[in-house]
Amino acid sequence: MKKITWFYMNGCPYCRNGEKAFDEILKEHPEYKAIPISKVDERKEVAFANAHDYYYVPTLYLDEEKAYECSPHDHFDDIKQHFEEVLKKAFE
């Protein structure tokens, strides 16, 4: 199982959609609760966030590889689909 590092920012509407998508996915796949996830508030952990290559949040890393970076064009369904893909890869 791979570890997920989830970069987010409080107040970000895309991050809120990520939270909502994550909650829905866990209801559909409770087995994903076993995946180790480290949530990083980029405003509080600036040095750690700056050491990673991304611009938009939410961004998900699988181990040390970027697996998904939200785009300003991503809607809720897009975010949910990408989160689900990352969680599935992490669980394998």
Side-chain angles (χ1 to χ4, degrees):
M1 189 175 308
K2 294 182 180 180
K3 175 188 171 195
I4 293 176
T5 304
W6 175 348
F7 293 94
Y8 73 96
M9 184 173 57
N10 280 327
C12 166
Y14 300 97
C15 295
R16 279 194 301 273
N17 279 337
E19 289 285 348
K20 181 179 172 189
F22 182 70
D23 290 343
E24 286 185 13
I25 293 165
L26 286 184
K27 286 178 186 172
E28 298 164 8
H29 298 278
E31 65 274 17
Y32 290 166
K33 291 178 183 178
I35 298 169
I37 299 174
S38 175
K39 291 182 71 176
V40 178
D41 181 337
E42 70 172 20
R43 288 183 177 164
K44 292 182 180 176
E45 299 182 54
V46 176
F48 183 73
N50 286 343
H52 292 78
D53 181 30
Y54 73 95
Y55 187 76
Y56 296 109
V57 288
T59 292
L60 304 177
Y61 274 74
L62 277 176
D63 289 336
E64 294 301 317
E65 184 177 329
K66 183 168 39 174
Y68 170 63
E69 180 174 358
C70 190
S71 156
H73 304 289
D74 286 356
H75 298 285
F76 174 78
D77 292 336
D78 303 312
I79 294 169
K80 183 177 178 182
Q81 176 186 344
H82 289 290
F83 268 53
E84 194 158 12
E85 290 168 359
V86 173
L87 287 162
K88 183 178 177 181
K89 287 179 186 176
F91 194 73
E92 295 173 345

